[in-house]
């Protein structure tokens, strides 16, 4: 087994970067052992307000430094992320319990997000000329002004990549960031931040706070100029209500109960391999992972048999190397949630096809990947997001039935279609109610496409991260127009009377030449 690159000295150094003035701490345990791993300081409401105030002062200079400077700094950070990949992989595994392969997805994603925003921000946010309402008489430009201080609230499950997807575009746009980190993912976030600080981002420009949502989280959303939140739909609704009262913007990536449609022309073994990973990467603790599988009756038998066989033979483990297919749930609370959904389903008549039991020899919170059939609407697992090691399979008789079942959900974050026919897949993708649709894959195609917007509809959220849309949420468009002086615009009734005919003629001419 390879040596761990993340040491106790590194943990202590990173923890020192949390903005916290008091002595209160909380014990954070690792899913690999269930034992206490480190003490994390608690940030108070005053600490959060101080971090916002310092960030607001630093933001002015950062914005004035310009795109070229920010691009150089962010590209240096990108290179440091790759240089420190082993360290970051260790931290992700220690905190989350996921495999090294799934941790690698996070590091790759963080680097991709950093590179994209460094290079794209000058193009996406550069001011531009637009046609004035009165050609030749009025000249108009649109410019983009950074909002100020962005508040970023991130969860534990994909701490590194989700932090990067919100923090990096904010920095690229010229904003400061105060980030509320979940306790279970704080070390990974602090290591990510350290790379950016070492690359030249001023320390006060990106502050990390911890603490209870009722104190640190409330203080953050009370004072920042824009809010990014990733987490539960219930919490997202409360944040949206507060942002609405304050008249500040918010982007919210919330829950999902994501469907996969397995059509009747698939290769069953290949489709089963794709489904297994889509459902149980990070043990299902990912907002875009698959929890509902709709398989056509013609291939249901061989597909389900192949999926059960693949999950039965999967290797579970927590080693800091690439020896495991699946890892552990992240906490005792996650284990309890999975057990509650499973017990409820079994009590009401569901059948366990594979899994359904803890794996204590792997880790204290490890649970076997579990596949259910016979799931009905009165069961919690039918409509609620499990966010854990359970997926349900349903047999359908047509593409139309599969689409209707997939769309019959309060959520609309991600969906997947497995078929050999690209045309058929695109037709079905057009009919699915989801912010992202992956063809021939579960979630990684859209998740890794950082130049494209990512987000949900219905109860899965508001706004988009990634792509130009992800950058523009951190700026306010400002329209600047000036009269050219070629002719005086009318101000009196008499002046309007003399120019009424020419103005109406101009409108007709613009329509005729198809000018917007």
């Amino acid at each position: 087994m390879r040596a761990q690159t993340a040491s106790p000295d590194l943990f202590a150094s990173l923890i020192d970067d949390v903005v916290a003035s008091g002595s209160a701490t909380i014990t954070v345990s690792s899913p690999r052992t269930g034992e206490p791993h480190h003490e994390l300081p608690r940030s108070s409401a005053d600490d959060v307000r101080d971090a916002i105030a310092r960030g607001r002062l630093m933001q002015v200079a950062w914005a004035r430094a310009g795109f070229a400077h920010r691009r150089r700094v962010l590209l240096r950070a990108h290179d440091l992320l790759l240089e420190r990949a082993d360290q970051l992989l260790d931290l992700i595994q220690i905190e989350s319990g996921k495999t090294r392969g799934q941790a690698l997805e996070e590091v790759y994603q963080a680097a991709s997000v950093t590179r994209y925003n460094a290079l794209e921000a000058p193009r996406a946010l550069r001011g531009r000329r637009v046609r004035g309402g009165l050609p030749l008489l009025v000249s108009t430009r649109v410019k983009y002004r950074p909002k100020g201080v962005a508040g970023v609230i991130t969860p534990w499950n994909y701490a590194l990549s989700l932090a990067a997807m919100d923090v990096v575009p904010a920095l690229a746009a010229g904003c400061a960031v105060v980030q509320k980190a979940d306790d279970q993912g704080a070390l990974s976030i602090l290591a990510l931040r350290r790379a950016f600080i070492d690359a030249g981002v001023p320390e006060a420009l990106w502050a990390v706070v911890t603490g209870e949502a009722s104190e640190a989280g409330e203080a953050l959303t009370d004072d920042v100029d824009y809010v990014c939140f990733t987490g539960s739909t219930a919490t997202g609704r409360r944040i949206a209500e507060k942002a609405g009262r304050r008249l500040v913007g918010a982007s919210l990536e919330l829950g999902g109960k994501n469907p996969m449609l397995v059509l009747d022309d698939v290769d069953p073994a290949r489709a089963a391999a794709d489904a297994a990973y889509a459902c149980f990467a990070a043990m299902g603790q990912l907002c875009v992972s698959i929890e509902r599988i709709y398989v056509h009756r013609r291939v249901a038998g061989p597909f389900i048999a192949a999926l059960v066989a693949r999950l039965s033979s999967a290797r579970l483990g927590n080693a800091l190397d690439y020896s495991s297919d699946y890892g552990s749930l992240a906490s005792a609370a996650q284990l309890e949630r999975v057990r509650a959904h499973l017990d409820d389903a079994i009590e009401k008549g569901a059948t366990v096809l594979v899994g359904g039991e803890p794996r204590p020899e792997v880790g204290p919170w490890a649970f076997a990947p579990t596949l259910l059939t016979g799931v009905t609407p009165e069961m919690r697992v039918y409509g609620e997001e499990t966010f854990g090691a359970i997926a349900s399979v349903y047999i359908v008789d047509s593409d139309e039935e599969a689409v209707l079942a997939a769309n019959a959900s309060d959520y609309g974050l991600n969906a997947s279609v497995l078929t050999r026919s690209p045309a058929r897949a695109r037709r079905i993708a057009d009919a699915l109610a989801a912010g992202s649709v992956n063809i021939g894959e579960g979630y990684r195609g859209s998740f890794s496409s950082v130049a494209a917007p990512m987000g949900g509809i219905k109860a899965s959220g508001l706004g988009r991260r990634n792509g130009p849309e992800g950058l523009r949420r951190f700026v306010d468009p400002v329209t600047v127009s000036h009269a050219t002086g070629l002719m005086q615009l009318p101000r009196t009734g008499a002046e309007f009377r003399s120019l009424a005919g020419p103005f109406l003629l101009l409108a007709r001419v613009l329509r005729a030449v198809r000018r917007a």
Side-chain angles (χ1 to χ4, degrees):
M1 183 182 297
R2 56 170 292 279
Q4 179 177 316
T5 62
S7 67
D9 287 343
L10 174 64
F11 304 147
S13 173
L14 293 173
I15 287 168
D16 283 344
D17 288 348
V18 174
V19 178
S21 57
S23 58
T25 62
I26 187 170
T27 300
V28 180
S29 299
S30 171
R32 301 179 70 232
T33 63
E35 298 297 322
H37 185 266
H38 58 273
E39 297 288 325
L40 196 66
R42 302 286 78 194
S43 305
S44 67
D46 285 341
D47 293 327
V48 175
R49 286 189 282 267
D50 288 346
I52 293 170
R54 289 193 296 272
R56 207 177 294 285
L57 290 174
M58 184 58 66
Q59 183 269 330
V60 176
W62 178 250
R64 288 177 178 170
F67 288 116
H69 173 74
R70 295 197 291 272
R71 180 177 58 199
R72 285 192 297 270
V73 171
L74 296 181
L75 289 177
R76 283 199 295 270
H78 167 277
D79 296 344
L80 288 176
L81 292 180
L82 298 182
E83 289 176 17
R84 301 173 185 181
D86 280 340
Q87 179 190 102
L88 293 169
L89 292 170
D90 283 352
L91 290 170
I92 292 168
Q93 287 194 268
I94 289 166
E95 289 191 296
S96 71
K98 64 183 61 171
T99 67
R100 201 161 192 82
Q102 289 143 28
L104 180 63
E105 289 184 358
E106 288 210 59
V107 174
Y108 181 86
Q109 183 82 348
S112 296
V113 165
T114 303
R115 186 175 63 253
Y116 171 81
N117 285 284
L119 299 174
E120 184 62 24
R123 289 189 288 265
L125 304 181
R126 183 182 294 118
R128 68 190 192 279
R129 289 181 67 103
V130 299
R131 188 184 65 78
L134 297 169
L136 303 179
L137 305 185
V138 173
S139 174
T140 302
R141 290 187 62 83
V142 176
K143 67 177 183 176
Y144 295 97
R145 177 182 295 144
K147 287 184 179 291
V149 179
V152 175
I153 303 173
T154 47
W156 47 265
N157 60 319
Y158 272 66
L160 193 84
S161 54
L162 292 176
M165 284 191 277
D166 283 339
V167 172
V168 177
L171 296 176
C175 290
V177 174
V178 177
Q179 182 178 6
K180 163 72 170 63
D182 188 277
D183 300 332
Q184 197 70 38
L187 290 177
S188 300
I189 288 168
L190 290 164
L192 175 71
R193 174 185 177 273
R194 178 70 61 83
F196 280 75
I197 301 307
D198 290 347
V201 171
E203 290 195 27
L205 194 74
W206 178 2
V208 174
V209 298
T210 60
E212 298 298 326
S214 58
E215 182 174 10
E218 289 294 329
L220 185 75
T221 54
D222 278 342
D223 205 23
V224 294
D225 304 307
Y226 188 86
V227 181
C228 302
F229 172 76
T230 305
S232 73
T233 297
T235 302
R237 292 185 195 277
R238 293 195 294 271
I239 290 174
E241 289 171 1
K242 177 183 277 192
R245 290 194 302 270
R246 293 188 56 225
L247 298 179
V248 300
S251 61
L252 311 168
E253 187 183 301
L254 309 178
K257 190 73 177 176
N258 307 301
M260 170 178 279
L261 283 63
V262 182
L263 307 189
D264 59 1
D265 61 349
V266 300
D267 174 270
R270 179 173 178 176
D274 289 334
Y277 193 86
C279 294
F280 299 110
M283 293 310 294
Q285 299 168 123
L286 174 61
C287 53
V288 293
S289 66
I290 299 299
E291 295 196 12
R292 299 180 286 150
I293 303 173
Y294 298 98
V295 56
H296 198 285
R297 190 176 301 277
R298 290 195 190 101
V299 294
F303 168 79
I304 292 172
L307 182 54
V308 168
R310 189 171 187 89
L311 294 175
S312 298
S313 62
R315 291 185 295 179
L316 273 65
N318 60 19
L320 300 182
D321 56 32
Y322 294 97
S323 60
S324 302
D325 302 317
Y326 302 109
S328 170
L329 296 169
S331 67
Q334 283 299 107
L335 178 60
E336 179 58 33
R337 181 177 180 86
V338 167
R339 278 177 161 162
H341 274 214
L342 180 61
D343 291 346
D344 174 75
I346 292 173
E347 181 182 334
K348 294 173 181 175
T351 299
V352 176
L353 297 177
V354 65
E357 59 187 9
R359 293 288 300 274
E361 76 281 9
V362 174
W365 305 321
F367 200 87
T370 300
L371 189 66
L372 299 179
T373 190
V375 173
T376 54
E378 66 270 15
M379 301 174 188
R380 292 179 62 189
V381 75
Y382 180 88
E384 291 183 27
E385 181 183 33
T386 301
F387 210 71
I390 300 177
S392 304
V393 62
Y394 307 83
I395 297 175
V396 296
D397 291 304
S398 67
D399 293 357
E400 292 75 17
E401 183 184 353
V403 169
L404 289 172
N407 288 346
S409 171
D410 292 335
Y411 296 105
L413 186 58
N414 179 45
S416 171
V417 183
L418 302 186
T419 174
R420 294 184 182 184
S421 168
R424 190 179 179 190
R426 288 192 295 269
R427 185 170 61 251
I428 290 175
D430 289 343
L432 290 171
S436 299
V437 179
N438 286 270
I439 296 172
E441 232 290 313
Y443 68 86
R444 288 181 290 182
S446 60
F447 192 74
S448 64
S449 299
V450 297
M454 175 186 173
I457 61 174
K458 299 192 281 187
S460 289
L462 295 171
R464 294 293 184 268
R465 55 163 53 112
N466 291 346
E469 294 86 348
L471 276 159
R472 289 179 183 143
R473 61 189 162 144
F474 296 108
V475 295
D476 289 316
V478 178
T479 298
V480 180
S481 293
H482 72 271
T484 63
L486 186 63
M487 187 182 79
Q488 178 61 57
L489 298 179
R491 294 161 297 186
T492 67
E495 291 172 344
F496 271 104
R497 185 186 308 115
S498 64
L499 290 175
F503 277 14
L504 295 177
L505 176 61
L506 174 62
R508 293 188 179 96
V509 169
L510 292 175
R511 166 66 176 85
V513 299
R514 301 188 177 218
R515 289 291 299 274

